[in-house]
Amino acid sequence: IMGDTPEEWRWGKIHTLEFVSTIRQKGFGKSLLGGGSHGFGGSGETLYRGYYKFDRPYDVFVSASLRMVADLSDADKVTAVLPGGTSGRLFSKQRIDQIDAFINGGKLYWWFSDREIQNHSQHELVLNP
């Protein structure tokens, strides 16, 4: 599968994680609604946890739904990545915009204090009765 040169072997070439929509997991439209297939470096016993079925040892079928690190001395923010994005809306760019950070070990700030939310807001939605 990987060839005769171990120095060129890369686990992520064959070990993959595919992001699919709950609406369309197979067939036509799957790639439009999902986040695609990505090389994934983890296993069931590593930090980048990715479980697979023994009859399909390279296809991750369960992974983390959130990766988060919280510095308990900092009440303003945590670093976190949500591979499914922060929006469940089908054509929102926030639906899949954190996949690369999730796959590559990136971290994004999630702000909690009112001051920091205000300082880092890009949009505001006002709902009036």
Side-chain angles (χ1 to χ4, degrees):
I1 272 181
M2 297 294 281
D4 295 330
T5 311
E7 292 81 21
E8 295 177 9
W9 294 358
R10 300 293 177 264
W11 182 238
K13 283 184 180 180
I14 59 171
H15 193 252
T16 59
L17 173 60
E18 184 173 20
F19 295 93
V20 295
S21 167
T22 55
I23 296 171
R24 189 72 175 167
Q25 296 181 10
K26 297 179 182 179
F28 178 76
K30 178 178 97 168
S31 61
L32 175 66
L33 301 177
S37 182
H38 302 267
F40 195 64
S43 72
E45 294 78 29
T46 62
L47 183 61
Y48 287 88
R49 193 154 287 211
Y51 292 102
Y52 53 86
K53 296 178 182 178
F54 288 102
D55 62 338
R56 298 188 68 183
Y58 306 115
D59 299 331
V60 175
F61 80 101
V62 174
S63 77
S65 60
L66 171 70
R67 185 177 302 130
M68 182 179 84
V69 176
D71 177 350
L72 299 180
S73 68
D74 185 352
D76 287 331
K77 67 185 177 305
V78 298
T79 57
V81 179
L82 187 65
T86 56
S87 173
R89 293 176 30 209
L90 187 56
F91 295 107
S92 169
K93 67 180 181 177
Q94 278 77 39
R95 187 178 56 83
I96 59 172
D97 66 342
Q98 296 184 29
I99 290 176
D100 286 338
F102 183 78
I103 295 293
N104 297 313
K107 299 173 193 148
L108 303 172
Y109 289 117
W110 288 15
W111 307 102
F112 287 106
S113 70
D114 290 340
R115 180 189 75 241
E116 292 304 320
I117 290 171
Q118 183 70 29
N119 288 340
H120 293 90
S121 293
Q122 295 178 3
H123 306 282
E124 182 177 351
L125 174 64
V126 177
L127 303 172
N128 293 315

